[in-house]
Amino acid sequence: MEEAHRACWSTVLASTVRLTRDLDLAEDCTQDAFVQALRTWPEGVPSNPAGWLTTVARRLALDRLRRETTLRRKLPLLVEEAVPPNDREQPTDPLRLVFTCCHPALARESQIALTLRLICGLTTREVAAGLLISEATAAARITRAKKKIAAASIPYRIPADHELAERLDVVLTVVQLVYTAGHVAAGPELTRTDLTGRALELAHLLVRLMPEEPEPEALLALLQMTQARGDARLSEDGELVLLADQDRTRWNAKLLAEGVSRATAALQRSTALTATPAKPLHPTPVPPSPTPPASAPTEPLHPTPVPPSPTPPATARVEPLHPTAVPPSPTPPGSLRVEPPHPTTVPPSPTTPGSGGVEPLHRTGVPRSPATPGSGGVEPLDHTAVRSPATPGGGRFVLQAAIAGLHVTAPSWEKTDWQQVVRMYDAMLLSWPSPIVALNRAAAHSFVPGADLAAVLDELDALSKEPALKTYAYLPATRADVLTRLNRPEEAIKAYDEAITLTANDTERRSLQRRRSALL
């Protein structure tokens, strides 16, 4: 039942919403369908759990609607076309639900909270933990958003082309947050593959919907490069392995090749849209992977903050990209915890395109570059242009994909181009100032050869005054690592104690405890 809830929740809910056009009613009926399953499935689990649950939820909804005297009043999410009686689940249903939750009539904070609740099936407490807010605040945001959707008769559909631009950034953000929520899950398991897979499926759908836009392509690249590292993320005994210590031959070379290819394409499109190219990046190829391991959840290559909105958006936990704090996240958490692809970002992981009703994209990888033999089919990331920090031209996700590419194409942790990584974070800070980005920037800066660690520690101490980072475990974890390298073990132990207290994942907590014990 737990597996079915994780894998099928958003699909069943999205399909039921398409019938009822009422979020509350659809959510109630979906929950009731799972209750019926608890009573029925002990006698035998159906061969198609998602289909069974969807059928039951829709029948319950129809019964409820028939009992209503004013049907139109109970269908606030009116759409242009009628829904035929034999209407079946559509592959785009989850994406329709995301766009409904991300309607510009809703406050950005409410958009994110509602999407995490409906698409991820997270409890209100889990939503609050992910967004670093109180449970009461999360509940209020979700309730307000549902009421607004009903009052404004917001349609349940994918917007027309001219409407996509105003919703794109927040939709990309919530997809990244979904990945982040699964990349480092609260509880005993490090990863929830149902959430990471769902995020990848949605990212594929967005690329198909907007094939010429660089930002969706960059987000998908970010998630793929993060996902490709899954097998190396845990040791044989189930303990966390930080990026600095991972066996890179265990990375999925085929998936990395596709991610790097997409990141390069996104960078080139972004450059074409914004003019003046800057200094190119020269990352080294990733070592060949003898037999591409099956895609598994992985640590995002680095955290990605949620872009600032007029009113500071809710901060979500993200893992800083360095082995100090939690697993190094070289790429995306979106203002939510992600070590991404914060990110991180679900049933089977659509990291291998084609799952979840998403037509695979025929770009399995890039051919080996003659100039870089032995790259295992992974061509070095062609950063033809990333604008200088003074004139940032890439979008937020394009810059995150660039950082992820620098990490996965480096031959080793020590040979990572840390100066370029810091430069990318500088560009992000100009366009999207955020304490999460600043934290990741400081963490990356600490690994630049010859860096002044005392100055980095001062930056981290200043960030500790940020309200959004008060309960963010990766800040004290990062401080602990820097203090350890400064040979100040007593202070490092105290910082580890704080990080251990704030960490919600058991696997991460054990990793922090081991590092703390090594200082005693």
Side-chain angles (χ1 to χ4, degrees):
M1 175 58 65
E2 183 180 358
E3 182 181 348
H5 186 272
R6 289 184 171 190
C8 308
W9 168 267
S10 66
T11 302
V12 176
L13 176 62
S15 180
T16 309
V17 170
R18 187 153 50 86
L19 173 68
T20 65
R21 313 302 186 221
D22 184 323
L23 288 176
D24 281 328
L25 175 58
E27 191 173 5
D28 287 346
C29 293
T30 300
Q31 290 171 340
D32 288 344
F34 279 96
V35 171
Q36 284 201 20
L38 282 171
R39 297 170 181 156
T40 306
W41 287 9
E43 301 172 6
V45 178
S47 58
N48 181 5
W52 189 97
L53 290 163
T54 299
T55 300
V56 171
R58 289 164 70 93
R59 283 176 180 169
L60 290 169
L62 285 171
D63 288 344
R64 291 270 297 272
L65 291 173
R66 290 190 186 106
R67 289 198 297 267
E68 298 295 337
T69 55
T70 53
L71 181 60
R72 185 170 295 278
R73 182 171 59 84
K74 291 296 181 181
L75 299 180
L77 302 181
L78 299 178
V79 288
E80 305 74 53
E81 72 281 0
V83 181
N86 60 347
D87 189 32
R88 295 185 178 180
E89 172 191 338
Q90 299 295 322
T92 57
D93 277 349
L95 193 58
R96 292 186 190 186
L97 187 53
V98 171
F99 273 108
T100 300
C101 295
C102 295
H103 194 279
L106 305 176
R108 185 183 185 87
E109 294 80 2
S110 297
Q111 293 171 345
I112 295 171
L114 183 61
T115 306
L116 291 176
R117 172 73 188 99
L118 298 183
I119 291 295
C120 301
L122 300 181
T123 64
T124 304
R125 177 176 297 180
E126 289 171 329
V127 172
L131 294 175
L132 302 179
I133 56 178
S134 70
E135 187 173 348
T137 300
R141 289 180 182 177
I142 292 169
T143 301
R144 281 198 302 268
K146 287 181 179 179
K147 289 181 177 178
K148 179 69 174 181
I149 287 174
S153 298
I154 293 174
Y156 176 63
R157 62 177 174 81
I158 293 175
D161 289 350
H162 68 278
E163 299 174 304
L164 286 171
E166 63 180 339
R167 295 198 216 177
L168 180 60
D169 186 74
V170 71
V171 168
L172 294 174
T173 295
V174 297
V175 170
Q176 185 182 38
L177 294 186
V178 170
Y179 188 95
T180 299
H183 179 67
V184 179
E189 298 179 3
L190 179 62
T191 305
R192 279 187 56 178
T193 55
D194 58 314
L195 296 183
T196 56
R198 189 169 305 139
L200 281 156
E201 177 184 343
L202 291 170
H204 275 291
L205 283 170
L206 285 168
V207 169
R208 290 176 56 197
L209 180 66
M210 308 177 75
E212 299 305 317
E213 285 291 329
E215 288 284 83
E217 185 95 19
L219 174 61
L220 179 55
L222 182 63
L223 300 187
Q224 288 179 322
M225 287 185 280
T226 298
Q227 192 78 0
R229 295 163 41 208
D231 278 6
R233 195 174 172 219
L234 288 174
S235 64
E236 292 183 0
D237 57 358
E239 296 302 324
L240 181 66
V241 180
L242 298 176
L243 179 60
D245 304 318
Q246 287 179 8
D247 178 0
R248 299 189 175 211
T249 63
R250 295 183 61 198
W251 292 358
N252 186 328
K254 182 179 179 181
L255 191 56
L256 274 182
E258 182 171 353
V260 169
S261 175
R262 289 185 183 282
T264 297
L267 280 164
Q268 291 171 340
R269 285 192 203 127
S270 178
T271 299
L273 292 173
T274 54
T276 9
K279 176 182 173 185
L281 306 177
H282 303 291
T284 6
V286 113
S289 170
T291 54
S295 309
T298 146
E299 321 171 337
L301 302 176
H302 85 252
T304 5
V306 165
S309 59
T311 59
T315 313
R317 11 179 307 212
V318 301
E319 307 160 82
L321 128 159
H322 71 290
T324 298
V326 177
S329 138
T331 2
S335 196
L336 178 97
R337 42 176 207 157
V338 203
E339 216 212 87
H342 167 83
T344 155
T345 197
V346 192
S349 160
T351 199
T352 50
S355 58
V358 181
E359 180 180 312
L361 300 174
H362 306 294
R363 195 192 305 197
T364 47
V366 284
R368 176 179 301 176
S369 167
T372 55
S375 61
V378 179
E379 191 171 316
L381 184 63
D382 178 19
H383 293 87
T384 49
V386 174
R387 295 167 66 79
S388 68
T391 56
R396 177 165 60 97
F397 294 97
V398 168
L399 290 170
Q400 290 178 39
I403 294 173
L406 287 169
H407 281 282
V408 302
T409 56
S412 67
W413 171 265
E414 294 75 19
K415 293 184 180 179
T416 301
D417 190 344
W418 291 108
Q419 290 183 333
Q420 279 282 50
V421 172
V422 171
R423 180 169 167 263
M424 296 298 99
Y425 279 123
D426 286 338
M428 271 200 282
L429 279 170
L430 283 178
S431 299
W432 309 282
S434 157
I436 302 275
V437 179
L439 172 58
N440 281 274
R441 193 256 183 212
H445 186 205
S446 73
F447 293 103
V448 173
D452 183 349
L453 293 182
V456 172
L457 185 61
D458 289 340
E459 290 182 50
L460 296 174
D461 289 341
L463 286 171
S464 66
K465 299 174 184 177
E466 291 283 348
L469 300 182
K470 291 294 183 185
T471 58
Y472 192 58
Y474 301 118
L475 174 55
T478 304
R479 288 188 71 255
D481 179 72
V482 173
L483 286 165
T484 299
R485 287 186 277 155
L486 284 170
N487 196 26
R488 292 160 62 174
E490 292 183 1
E491 294 173 79
I493 288 172
K494 290 181 181 178
Y496 274 128
D497 286 339
E498 182 182 355
I500 290 167
T501 301
L502 295 173
T503 298
N505 182 269
D506 293 350
T507 305
E508 288 189 334
R509 186 179 296 109
R510 290 196 302 272
S511 176
L512 292 168
Q513 288 169 337
R514 286 196 304 274
R515 280 177 272 166
R516 179 191 184 280
S517 297
L519 296 175
L520 294 175

